[in-house]
Amino acid sequence: MPSDFYTDVWDLVRLIPEGRVTSYGAIAKYLGSARSSRMVGWAMNASHSAPEPVPAHRVVNRIGMLSGKAHFPDPDEMQRRLEAEGVVVENDRVVDFDLLCWNPMTELMLE
DNA sequence: AAGTTGACCCCGA
DNA sequence: TTCGGGGCCAACT
């Protein structure tokens, strides 16, 4: 049984709209642990055993780099899924990441 | 039980 | 601007 922190991360990641991406830091911050962005990585690492699928491909590091692509069952799938959603990926990096960045605080605050 | 590692981030040189 | 080091905290050895 995964800890609550993991499920929180997963839930949040599932809220990311198609064609948008976010960063580990933003997630960590939203969950109250601004400095624990590494734990978000661990949560992603455990996302394989998540009860429901987690769109981990929409989570990248602060500069929009696909840092976790190597950890997917099929690394190329991460980029493919992003491009399928309209996100342009070039050289393992999200183009216009600044525009596509989905900030949980801002977006969920507007609700 | 203790040390190392890591899908990160920030800051100073 | 790029580079190195410190911090974070759970998982792994």
Side-chain angles (χ1 to χ4, degrees):
Chain A
M1 193 58 178
S3 57
D4 291 328
F5 181 77
Y6 284 6
T7 52
D8 281 346
V9 173
W10 296 339
D11 283 342
L12 186 57
V13 172
R14 280 193 273 261
L15 290 178
I16 304 173
E18 284 190 16
R20 301 294 295 279
V21 293
T22 193
S23 68
Y24 298 93
I27 295 174
K29 198 177 215 176
Y30 179 78
L31 294 180
S33 313
R35 306 287 157 72
S36 303
S37 43
R38 295 197 137 183
M39 297 305 95
V40 179
W42 277 109
M44 291 299 101
N45 189 29
S47 69
H48 292 286
S49 52
E52 292 179 44
V54 179
H57 59 280
R58 296 184 191 143
V59 184
V60 295
N61 67 3
R62 70 181 181 89
I63 61 173
M65 208 155 76
L66 310 190
S67 42
K69 79 166 207 166
H71 294 269
F72 277 73
D74 180 4
D76 293 333
E77 191 175 323
M78 183 173 188
Q79 179 167 341
R80 266 203 305 275
R81 292 185 79 164
L82 283 172
E83 290 178 333
E85 295 179 2
V87 179
V88 182
V89 178
E90 191 173 301
N91 198 6
D92 289 347
R93 213 181 76 164
V94 175
V95 181
D96 293 333
F97 171 74
D98 296 338
L99 272 47
L100 295 172
C101 183
W102 181 79
N103 191 318
M105 314 252 238
T106 317
E107 300 290 335
L108 293 180
M109 203 92 84
L110 291 176
E111 288 294 314

